[in-house]
Amino acid sequence: MKRRQLLTGSITTVAATTLSVPAVAQSSPAVKWRMASSFPKSSDVIWGSSVAVADAVSAMTDGQFTIQVFAAGELVPPLQVADAVTNSTVQMGHTGAYFYIGKDTAFAVGGQLPWMSNARQFQAWLHAGGGNDLFNTFIKNYNLLNLPAGNTGAQMAGWYRKEIKSIDDLRGLKMRIGGLGGALLKRMGVVPQQIALGDIYPALEKGVIDALELVGPLDDEKMGFVKIAPYYYYPGFWEGSSELSYFVNLDQWNSLPKQYQAALRHATRSVGLEQLTKYDAGNTAALRRLVSAGAQLRALPEDILEESYKQSKLMFAEMSAANPNFKTLYDHMSKFMADSNVYLEISELYFDLMKNTARRKGWDKI
Amino acid sequence: MKRRQLLTGSITTVAATTLSVPAVAQSSPAVKWRMASSFPKSSDVIWGSSVAVADAVSAMTDGQFTIQVFAAGELVPPLQVADAVTNSTVQMGHTGAYFYIGKDTAFAVGGQLPWMSNARQFQAWLHAGGGNDLFNTFIKNYNLLNLPAGNTGAQMAGWYRKEIKSIDDLRGLKMRIGGLGGALLKRMGVVPQQIALGDIYPALEKGVIDALELVGPLDDEKMGFVKIAPYYYYPGFWEGSSELSYFVNLDQWNSLPKQYQAALRHATRSVGLEQLTKYDAGNTAALRRLVSAGAQLRALPEDILEESYKQSKLMFAEMSAANPNFKTLYDHMSKFMADSNVYLEISELYFDLMKNTARRKGWDKI
């Protein structure tokens, strides 16, 4: 039954209008959801994305489908967002899939893996390579559906009190780093620490940690780390393409009208695209301000990159042996990445390289 | 007035229900649009995007806002889509902004410029750097609004009958290439030709042209060029980040309910993201099939890259001097690109480089 035909086609008979009411209620009911975020309001871009998704959904449904967003800790602790969604405490959450590797290491694959992919590749795997569908067959076990929430692009390797000249300087280094990045660096002598966002600066000040990683210049700047740990390293090889997640309770998703499902799905992709553009548009200015404030920008020494790459493969092999869920996702993803890389290397990467070569060789001086 | 409250809040009085009808008609009217595409149905990914946008908009408005998509030539010739939108022959079009540099060279900037940016940078400029807003102040003169339609990523430099060993081999080369790419190659001795898609193969067969460029492996494969012009070159420096456009008639846009504007805007961004993932997920397999079929994959010689880079800067300087519209957009864009490149080079590009170095050095052999 087309409600619009009923409502606009004829208003000559009161009966027809009255009959149309149940149809309206069915297809465009007022739906109010709550979204728990793992992120504080101070994480401007990421928090802003969740609010933008809620705004978009409301705008596209004429205010009929509203989502109220709660910052980290307002309803549930930041690392328990998935549980709150599974349990229907909230209908959806904005979080990082890799926060839940304690439940099952396969969660990591929903966010990226160390050394595995850049943002283009990861989003290609998710959206066109069957990756997100496969991930969703896994998190169905938790009554969850994943809607990818947008990428940060390649992150920095973080802030360090002292210069890192070789892999020896990692031994015993107390570093705030979580997830598989932490597990990987632990294999190289780092002592990883889990510290909540608000506690990082004091921990650095008191010498509880020697180093930390967060995201990149745009997010890092406001934390003021440069004053205590001025060595700012790249590349963040454990987060070459960090994709966050909207986890939706599967029953709630299935009970949504198709119209609202479409609005939510497209809103998350549209805002996700915008999120990456915000990072790409803002990171350089933030980096310049950080360097003016004393940041010492450095590339990690090659022995660290080499060992971390080798250790990542060993770690994935061990994780695959220990967990068939991880193995299924890892095998699928790593095959896709090796494959997609072939064309990206001669097209995208070569173009970027030559574009920078041109600048370096002064071809732009006309 | 909240129509839903009226419709679902109380159905005890017939009067209230009847009164609500005008409100419904106002906020969610049935709207039927037509979209003229510059692309044939055979351009799977790009044509598919326009259909996906129409589907998304319909799904998000419960079938109230429908857009019928017409392939190239069905309603208007492919290179007259912008005019058809300006004149309200259709409400919107799917096209390439650079198709219209004959009207004003500033149109080129809506799609990308040679040697200027990769896809990440271009989308950052459009969506978060004020680029699309600025472009829209320009095309307002044509009663148009641009909604960016998604990127192809860095393209190939096309198919050549003979190997290109140095810049000397470009002299007199009859090549099917349009837009600023054609203008740029002309400065290096190429004789650019405008040939419609369906006429390229016969032109190649008859020797009317010696070379041609299209997009990349996924789109090029089905054309069969490999049989006649097997040398397949990269990088397509004139199309490092080709972004297509949905041009919308500005009056039609302004008359859309806000709800439908939001649906159309988010649909184009969401589907745009998906478009790039389809290219990234499909190009390698197509490239492999092409190489099996005899494609000779080659990098363009450095003297061509150098001269093309220098010539691009000279060309932009001349275009800026001749056209203040172009100059405004070009200055804005090139400043943004130089800036965004600083962080992207140490993060994204360095990560990609090291990821490929790792493979090349065998760090993945564990």
Side-chain angles (χ1 to χ4, degrees):
Chain A
M1 187 187 282
K2 295 278 187 197
R3 67 191 161 96
R4 305 302 175 186
Q5 289 173 357
L6 280 171
L7 289 171
T8 60
S10 165
I11 53 164
T12 51
T13 59
V14 170
T17 309
T18 308
L19 278 173
S20 74
V21 174
V24 171
Q26 256 184 338
S27 64
S28 300
V31 172
K32 291 183 192 306
W33 274 19
R34 300 194 304 170
M35 182 193 328
S37 173
S38 294
F39 309 102
K41 291 183 183 175
S42 61
S43 63
D44 302 332
V45 177
I46 291 172
W47 167 258
S49 285
S50 59
V51 173
V53 164
D55 288 348
V57 164
S58 175
M60 291 191 283
T61 61
D62 202 21
Q64 284 300 100
F65 180 19
T66 59
I67 302 170
Q68 191 179 358
V69 193
F70 295 88
E74 284 185 4
L75 286 182
V76 288
L79 302 183
Q80 292 171 32
V81 164
D83 306 79
V85 179
T86 294
N87 302 333
S88 268
T89 304
V90 289
Q91 289 85 357
M92 67 183 288
H94 188 209
T95 192
Y98 65 98
F99 294 171
Y100 308 99
I101 55 174
K103 293 180 191 299
D104 190 310
T105 52
F107 269 101
V109 189
Q112 64 165 345
L113 290 176
W115 272 125
M116 182 60 79
S117 59
N118 63 26
R120 283 267 295 270
Q121 291 176 289
F122 193 70
Q123 296 193 327
W125 178 70
L126 284 173
H127 295 290
N132 196 45
D133 290 342
L134 192 65
F135 185 68
N136 274 327
T137 63
F138 159 63
I139 65 170
K140 201 178 170 183
N141 301 320
Y142 297 84
N143 205 30
L144 296 173
L145 176 86
N146 181 44
L147 300 176
N151 215 279
T152 61
Q155 300 188 6
M156 294 290 289
W159 300 89
Y160 300 74
R161 285 177 180 280
K162 296 185 184 157
E163 205 169 351
I164 304 294
K165 291 179 180 162
S166 83
I167 197 167
D168 297 332
D169 294 327
L170 294 186
R171 305 248 155 77
L173 190 87
K174 289 169 290 175
M175 180 166 179
R176 188 265 186 185
I177 179 171
L180 290 187
L184 179 55
L185 289 186
K186 192 176 177 186
R187 301 169 74 103
M188 301 164 69
V190 168
V191 184
Q193 315 264 325
Q194 294 267 21
I195 296 173
L197 198 67
D199 300 330
I200 302 176
Y201 193 90
L204 199 58
E205 219 168 12
K206 288 174 197 152
V208 176
I209 52 173
D210 310 305
L212 69 111
E213 66 90 46
L214 208 59
V215 181
L218 195 59
D219 288 318
D220 293 4
E221 185 187 12
K222 67 174 82 70
M223 305 296 291
F225 305 135
V226 65
K227 284 176 257 172
I228 310 177
Y231 293 97
Y232 198 26
Y233 277 93
Y234 61 88
F237 54 81
W238 54 89
E239 289 184 301
S241 61
S242 189
E243 182 94 12
L244 297 177
S245 287
Y246 294 104
F247 281 168
V248 182
N249 179 285
L250 208 46
D251 299 324
Q252 299 286 343
W253 173 260
N254 289 331
S255 72
L256 271 189
K258 296 280 179 223
Q259 179 185 358
Y260 297 178
Q261 287 182 351
L264 184 52
R265 190 184 290 279
H266 288 292
T268 57
R269 284 210 298 240
S270 165
V271 172
L273 181 149
E274 203 180 15
Q275 173 176 302
L276 185 55
T277 68
K278 284 184 181 170
Y279 277 114
D280 288 343
N283 268 325
T284 293
L287 181 64
R288 287 202 170 111
R289 289 188 298 267
L290 283 165
V291 169
S292 294
Q296 302 290 317
L297 199 59
R298 298 276 193 284
L300 283 171
E302 192 168 310
D303 66 344
I304 291 180
L305 300 182
E306 177 173 351
E307 186 60 17
S308 70
Y309 198 93
K310 291 176 174 172
Q311 287 296 334
S312 73
K313 298 297 172 196
L314 289 169
M315 183 171 77
F316 297 146
E318 290 167 16
M319 290 169 74
S320 294
N323 180 2
N325 288 335
F326 178 84
K327 183 176 180 354
T328 302
L329 279 157
Y330 173 74
D331 288 350
H332 188 274
M333 178 192 244
S334 51
K335 184 175 177 305
F336 181 92
M337 296 310 170
D339 193 69
S340 72
N341 201 60
V342 173
Y343 182 69
L344 281 173
E345 190 172 0
I346 64 159
S347 58
E348 203 69 20
L349 184 58
Y350 192 77
F351 174 72
D352 282 348
L353 272 178
M354 292 314 301
K355 191 158 62 72
N356 287 330
T357 298
R359 202 170 27 83
R360 203 162 288 119
K361 291 196 174 178
W363 296 350
D364 54 347
K365 302 285 178 293
I366 54 167
Chain B
M1 185 189 281
K2 294 280 187 199
R3 68 191 161 95
R4 304 304 175 186
Q5 288 173 359
L6 280 172
L7 289 173
T8 59
S10 166
I11 54 165
T12 51
T13 60
V14 171
T17 309
T18 309
L19 279 172
S20 74
V21 173
V24 170
Q26 255 183 340
S27 64
S28 300
V31 172
K32 291 184 193 304
W33 274 19
R34 299 194 305 170
M35 183 191 330
S37 174
S38 293
F39 310 102
K41 291 183 183 175
S42 61
S43 64
D44 301 332
V45 177
I46 290 172
W47 167 257
S49 285
S50 60
V51 174
V53 163
D55 288 347
V57 164
S58 175
M60 292 193 283
T61 61
D62 202 21
Q64 284 300 100
F65 180 18
T66 57
I67 302 170
Q68 191 179 358
V69 193
F70 295 87
E74 283 185 3
L75 285 182
V76 288
L79 302 182
Q80 291 171 32
V81 164
D83 306 77
V85 179
T86 293
N87 303 333
S88 267
T89 305
V90 290
Q91 290 85 358
M92 68 184 287
H94 188 208
T95 191
Y98 66 97
F99 294 170
Y100 308 99
I101 55 174
K103 294 180 190 298
D104 189 310
T105 53
F107 270 101
V109 190
Q112 64 166 345
L113 291 175
W115 273 123
M116 183 59 80
S117 58
N118 62 25
R120 282 268 296 270
Q121 291 177 289
F122 193 71
Q123 296 194 326
W125 178 70
L126 284 173
H127 295 290
N132 196 46
D133 290 342
L134 192 65
F135 185 68
N136 274 327
T137 63
F138 158 64
I139 64 170
K140 200 178 171 182
N141 300 321
Y142 298 84
N143 206 30
L144 297 174
L145 175 87
N146 180 44
L147 299 175
N151 216 279
T152 60
Q155 299 188 6
M156 292 293 288
W159 300 90
Y160 301 73
R161 284 176 181 282
K162 295 186 186 158
E163 203 169 353
I164 303 294
K165 291 179 179 162
S166 82
I167 198 165
D168 297 331
D169 294 327
L170 294 186
R171 305 249 154 78
L173 190 87
K174 290 169 287 175
M175 180 166 179
R176 188 263 187 185
I177 178 171
L180 291 187
L184 179 56
L185 289 186
K186 192 177 178 186
R187 301 169 74 103
M188 300 164 70
V190 168
V191 184
Q193 316 265 326
Q194 295 266 23
I195 297 174
L197 197 67
D199 300 331
I200 303 176
Y201 193 90
L204 200 57
E205 219 168 12
K206 288 175 199 152
V208 176
I209 52 174
D210 310 306
L212 69 113
E213 66 91 46
L214 209 60
V215 182
L218 194 58
D219 288 317
D220 293 3
E221 185 187 13
K222 67 175 81 71
M223 305 295 291
F225 305 135
V226 65
K227 283 175 258 172
I228 309 177
Y231 294 97
Y232 198 27
Y233 278 92
Y234 61 89
F237 54 79
W238 54 88
E239 288 184 300
S241 60
S242 188
E243 182 94 12
L244 297 176
S245 287
Y246 294 105
F247 280 169
V248 183
N249 179 284
L250 208 46
D251 299 323
Q252 298 287 343
W253 172 260
N254 290 330
S255 72
L256 270 189
K258 296 279 179 224
Q259 178 185 358
Y260 297 177
Q261 287 183 350
L264 184 53
R265 189 183 291 280
H266 288 292
T268 56
R269 285 212 298 242
S270 165
V271 172
L273 181 150
E274 203 179 14
Q275 174 176 301
L276 185 54
T277 69
K278 283 183 181 169
Y279 277 114
D280 288 343
N283 268 326
T284 293
L287 181 64
R288 287 202 171 110
R289 289 189 297 268
L290 284 165
V291 169
S292 294
Q296 302 290 317
L297 199 59
R298 298 277 193 284
L300 284 171
E302 192 168 311
D303 66 345
I304 291 180
L305 300 182
E306 176 173 350
E307 186 60 17
S308 70
Y309 198 93
K310 291 176 175 171
Q311 288 296 334
S312 73
K313 298 296 170 196
L314 289 168
M315 182 173 77
F316 297 146
E318 290 167 17
M319 290 170 73
S320 294
N323 181 0
N325 288 336
F326 179 84
K327 183 177 178 2
T328 301
L329 279 158
Y330 173 74
D331 288 351
H332 188 275
M333 178 192 243
S334 52
K335 184 175 177 303
F336 181 91
M337 297 310 171
D339 193 69
S340 72
N341 201 58
V342 174
Y343 181 68
L344 281 173
E345 189 174 0
I346 64 159
S347 59
E348 203 69 20
L349 184 58
Y350 192 77
F351 174 71
D352 282 347
L353 272 178
M354 292 314 302
K355 190 157 63 71
N356 287 331
T357 299
R359 200 169 30 82
R360 202 163 289 118
K361 291 196 174 178
W363 297 349
D364 55 346
K365 301 287 179 291
I366 55 168

